[in-house]
Amino acid sequence: ISIPNKFKEIVRMTFKKILGLLALACLTIIGLSACTPEKEPTWTYDKNKMLFTGQDASVQVLSATKIESPEGQKAVRVHYKLTNSSKETMNAYTLLMKVVLDVKQEKEEVKVATLVFSKDDDRDKIANKTKIAPKEVKEIVVDYAVADFDHDLSIDFSDYGTEANATAKLSLQNLEKAPVKYFDKKAQ
């Protein structure tokens, strides 16, 4: 049985078209896989507990009080609970700053007035020398200089330097006025 040349040519052309379409489909799949959306964020935020959990740390805003800075300026003392969830011992100040992206009042960034770490450390130990081991928890006190006590304080959180769209809002109007002592009473 002989197959006419015309039929062989049609089979060959169809085979080439199928191979071409197959190559195009493979390239499309490869191209689409390169354009997949970013992974879901690995952070969580519990607004009621003011607890942000990122990849390297979790930070909970425990409490805040009104104080006057040593220079006589209005300030707010914020008590944080910092947990190191990474696998390495880190500088506690660096770890806190990785997670707390910005602290603002009326869209203006506020300045850190004083940093005081946990009452387990020496009272005079400065923040940039304090280490926090994996799974260790430290209470960290940060004093922020504020313009007034009429406007809220916003604490924006971050995970790996990217804004996480999680913000703790602290109303300053009804905070109690506290003396400038760091650990008078344990935050709940």
Side-chain angles (χ1 to χ4, degrees):
I1 300 174
S2 71
I3 300 174
N5 284 341
K6 185 123 177 131
F7 183 72
K8 286 181 186 177
E9 187 64 30
I10 291 172
V11 168
R12 192 175 312 126
M13 294 294 282
T14 305
F15 187 67
K16 283 183 179 180
K17 285 182 183 176
I18 290 171
L19 282 177
L21 287 172
L22 199 56
L24 184 62
C26 288
L27 288 173
T28 303
I29 290 169
I30 291 168
L32 287 175
S33 67
C35 297
T36 54
E38 292 181 22
K39 290 186 208 172
E40 287 294 314
T42 55
W43 56 268
T44 59
Y45 180 62
D46 184 331
K47 187 177 181 178
N48 296 326
K49 292 180 181 177
M50 290 197 273
L51 172 63
F52 179 86
T53 304
Q55 294 180 56
D56 284 340
S58 65
V59 174
Q60 183 174 16
V61 179
L62 297 173
S63 64
T65 50
K66 295 177 187 177
I67 62 163
E68 191 175 284
S69 73
E71 296 79 30
Q73 188 177 5
K74 290 179 182 174
V76 174
R77 172 160 294 148
V78 178
H79 290 253
Y80 295 102
K81 182 166 82 173
L82 176 68
T83 306
N84 182 356
S85 51
S86 75
K87 290 181 169 59
E88 59 188 74
T89 297
M90 299 180 76
N91 177 292
Y93 177 73
T94 302
L95 185 59
L96 181 68
M97 291 300 105
K98 277 177 82 172
V99 180
V100 175
L101 184 66
D102 282 316
V103 179
K104 296 178 182 170
Q105 185 180 37
E106 287 289 285
K107 298 184 182 176
E108 293 292 322
E109 194 170 336
V110 297
K111 301 279 186 237
V112 171
T114 315
L115 285 155
V116 181
F117 278 70
S118 78
K119 63 180 170 182
D120 301 326
D121 292 334
D122 291 337
R123 229 171 248 261
D124 299 328
K125 198 170 197 180
I126 38 181
N128 62 8
K129 293 184 180 175
T130 300
K131 300 289 182 189
I132 185 166
K135 298 183 180 166
E136 187 176 4
V137 178
K138 285 190 182 266
E139 181 181 334
I140 300 171
V141 175
V142 183
D143 297 343
Y144 297 101
V146 294
D148 57 54
F149 296 128
D150 298 325
H151 297 94
D152 292 353
L153 202 63
S154 298
I155 301 170
D156 295 329
F157 297 102
S158 163
D159 196 33
Y160 274 87
T162 58
E163 195 167 337
N165 201 22
T167 302
K169 295 269 189 200
L170 293 174
S171 173
L172 306 183
Q173 291 182 352
N174 298 321
L175 292 181
E176 68 178 73
K177 177 101 166 124
V180 183
K181 290 183 184 168
Y182 296 120
F183 293 99
D184 282 347
K185 56 185 180 182
K186 179 82 175 142
Q188 300 299 331

